[in-house]
Amino acid sequence: MMDAHLDKPERARGSDRQFVTALARGLDILRVFRAEDGPLGNQEIARRTGLPKPTISRLTYTLTQLGYLNYDRKLGVYSLGGGVLALGYVALAHLDVRRIARPLMQELADECGASVALGARDRLNMVYVENCEGQNIVALRISVGSRIPLGVSAMGRAYLSALSERERAPLIDQILRKYPDDKTKILRSIEKSFKDIEKRGFCVAIGDWRKDVNGAGAALALPNGAGLYALNCGGPAYLLKGKDIEEIYGPKLVDIANKVVSLIGVKNRK
């Protein structure tokens, strides 16, 4: 995974007078903590953010005082605090799409024995806000809060396809700059995914994100501009064969997206 400072949006640079750099830096610190991590020290946080260590020290102190970080004095390391958890739980609790989509996602996960997830964009990643797993899945354990790359995953490409050209172009530019050695291959895969989605509503990633993982992705655009998400169905290549993804699970993912949109539309009319 790339370090957090490489994913900063271009508008976070100096010419935007409305942009509060100190606030952005504090939030960048919170973003560097990953589900697979243990606690982090100031040196590792500085490396991941690209910020000077003295700046990190002041910001981590402030975040600790506010309850967004916990500090272990004995080890000199930080972990996310209750303030972050409170914000996260409030955000998830207000996502009707998560509650409505879950039973439909679980049904497909049980059928294919793999993982079916709902994700939202976080800079150049998709972050899982819901995940359902079939009983057969043993090789993939991706939980809520996990992130997968925007440009090389089926979920990410499906999300990109649903954006306007004005919104999409700068993101694709950032993706290609993030992976300079693979930009031709990535751009070709993105373009193919867009054509597939236009034709059948979903795209596939056969060994693109990880060589041993196959998956399908479909966009989920809520009515009345209520939000843009994406769904995926993914799992180990030995379990999810390319043909089954193309013929069975990809179309079912599109059905889930359509049903969720319809159900949310009915709820909003009540």
Side-chain angles (χ1 to χ4, degrees), residues 1 5 22 26 28 31 35 64 66 89 102 137 140 145 156-157 192 214 229 266 269:
M1 183 181 293
H5 70 278
D28 280 341
R31 285 174 178 269
T64 300
L66 294 173
Y89 282 126
R102 181 172 177 81
I137 189 164
L140 277 185
R157 293 170 186 165
K192 182 180 184 304
N214 295 337
Y229 301 85
V266 170
R269 288 195 294 271

Coordinates of all heavy atoms in Angstrom, one line a residue, residues 1 5 22 26 28 31 35 64 66 89 102 137 140 145 156-157 192 214 229 266 269:
M1 N 0.8 -1.2 0.0 CA 0.0 0.0 0.0 C 0.9 1.2 0.0 O 1.9 1.3 0.7 CB -0.9 0.0 1.2 CG -1.9 1.2 1.3 SD -2.9 1.2 2.8 CE -3.8 -0.3 2.5
H5 N 0.7 10.2 2.2 CA 1.0 11.5 1.6 C 1.0 11.5 0.1 O 0.8 12.6 -0.5 CB 2.3 12.1 2.2 CG 3.5 11.4 1.7 ND1 4.0 10.2 2.2 CD2 4.4 11.7 0.6 CE1 5.1 9.8 1.5 NE2 5.3 10.7 0.6
A22 N -3.5 23.0 8.7 CA -3.3 22.4 10.0 C -4.3 21.3 10.2 O -4.0 20.2 10.7 CB -3.3 23.4 11.1
G26 N -3.8 17.1 10.5 CA -4.3 16.3 11.6 C -5.2 15.2 11.1 O -5.0 14.0 11.6
D28 N -4.9 13.8 8.1 CA -3.9 12.9 7.5 C -3.3 11.9 8.5 O -3.1 10.7 8.1 CB -2.8 13.7 6.8 CG -3.2 14.2 5.4 OD1 -4.3 13.8 4.9 OD2 -2.6 15.2 5.0
R31 N -5.7 9.1 9.1 CA -5.8 8.3 8.0 C -4.7 7.2 7.9 O -4.9 6.2 7.2 CB -5.8 9.1 6.7 CG -7.1 9.8 6.4 CD -7.0 10.7 5.2 NE -8.2 11.4 4.9 CZ -9.1 11.0 4.1 NH1 -9.0 9.8 3.5 NH2 -10.2 11.7 3.8
A35 N -6.2 -1.1 9.3 CA -6.8 -2.2 10.0 C -5.8 -3.3 10.4 O -5.9 -3.9 11.5 CB -7.9 -2.9 9.2
T64 N -4.3 13.5 20.8 CA -4.5 12.8 22.0 C -5.3 13.5 23.1 O -6.2 13.0 23.7 CB -3.1 12.4 22.6 OG1 -2.3 11.7 21.7 CG2 -3.2 11.6 23.9
L66 N -7.5 15.6 22.5 CA -8.9 15.7 22.1 C -9.6 14.3 22.1 O -10.8 14.2 21.8 CB -9.0 16.3 20.7 CG -8.6 17.8 20.6 CD1 -8.5 18.2 19.1 CD2 -9.5 18.7 21.4
Y89 N -18.9 5.2 14.0 CA -20.2 4.5 14.3 C -21.4 5.4 13.9 O -22.4 4.9 13.4 CB -20.2 4.1 15.7 CG -19.4 2.8 16.1 CD1 -18.5 2.8 17.1 CD2 -19.6 1.7 15.3 CE1 -17.7 1.7 17.3 CE2 -18.9 0.5 15.6 CZ -17.9 0.6 16.6 OH -17.2 -0.6 16.9
R102 N -27.5 -5.1 2.9 CA -26.9 -6.2 3.6 C -27.6 -7.6 3.3 O -26.9 -8.5 3.0 CB -26.7 -6.0 5.1 CG -26.1 -7.1 5.8 CD -25.7 -6.9 7.2 NE -25.2 -8.1 7.8 CZ -23.9 -8.5 7.7 NH1 -23.1 -7.8 7.0 NH2 -23.5 -9.6 8.2
I137 N -15.5 -19.2 2.3 CA -14.3 -18.3 2.0 C -13.3 -18.4 3.2 O -13.6 -18.3 4.3 CB -14.7 -16.8 1.8 CG1 -13.6 -16.0 1.4 CG2 -15.4 -16.2 3.0 CD1 -14.0 -14.7 0.7
L140 N -9.8 -14.9 1.9 CA -9.9 -13.5 1.9 C -10.7 -13.1 3.2 O -11.8 -13.6 3.4 CB -10.8 -13.0 0.7 CG -10.1 -12.7 -0.6 CD1 -11.1 -12.1 -1.6 CD2 -8.9 -11.8 -0.4
G145 N -14.0 -1.2 6.9 CA -12.9 -0.3 7.1 C -11.7 -0.6 6.3 O -10.8 0.3 6.2
G156 N -13.5 -0.3 -7.6 CA -13.0 1.0 -7.9 C -13.4 1.5 -9.3 O -13.8 2.6 -9.5
R157 N -13.2 0.6 -10.2 CA -13.5 0.9 -11.6 C -15.0 1.2 -11.8 O -15.4 2.0 -12.6 CB -13.0 -0.1 -12.6 CG -11.5 -0.3 -12.6 CD -11.1 -1.5 -13.3 NE -9.6 -1.7 -13.3 CZ -9.0 -2.9 -13.6 NH1 -9.7 -3.9 -14.0 NH2 -7.7 -3.0 -13.5
K192 N -11.5 -0.5 -20.6 CA -12.3 -1.8 -20.9 C -13.4 -1.9 -19.9 O -14.6 -2.3 -20.2 CB -11.4 -3.0 -20.8 CG -12.1 -4.3 -21.1 CD -11.2 -5.5 -21.1 CE -11.9 -6.8 -21.5 NZ -13.1 -7.0 -20.7
N214 N -10.2 -13.0 -8.0 CA -11.1 -12.6 -9.0 C -12.3 -11.9 -8.5 O -12.7 -12.1 -7.3 CB -11.6 -13.8 -9.9 CG -10.5 -14.5 -10.6 OD1 -9.4 -13.9 -10.9 ND2 -10.7 -15.8 -10.9
Y229 N -21.9 4.8 -4.4 CA -21.2 3.7 -3.8 C -20.9 2.7 -4.9 O -21.2 2.9 -6.1 CB -22.0 3.0 -2.7 CG -22.4 4.0 -1.6 CD1 -23.5 4.8 -1.7 CD2 -21.6 4.0 -0.4 CE1 -23.8 5.7 -0.6 CE2 -21.9 4.9 0.6 CZ -23.0 5.7 0.5 OH -23.3 6.6 1.5
V266 N -38.4 3.9 -2.6 CA -39.7 3.7 -1.9 C -39.6 4.3 -0.5 O -40.6 4.9 -0.1 CB -40.0 2.2 -1.9 CG1 -41.2 1.9 -1.0 CG2 -40.3 1.7 -3.3
R269 N -40.0 8.0 -0.4 CA -41.3 8.5 -0.8 C -42.3 8.4 0.3 O -43.4 9.0 0.3 CB -41.8 7.8 -2.0 CG -41.1 8.2 -3.3 CD -41.9 7.7 -4.5 NE -41.9 6.3 -4.6 CZ -41.0 5.5 -5.2 NH1 -39.9 6.1 -5.8 NH2 -41.2 4.2 -5.3

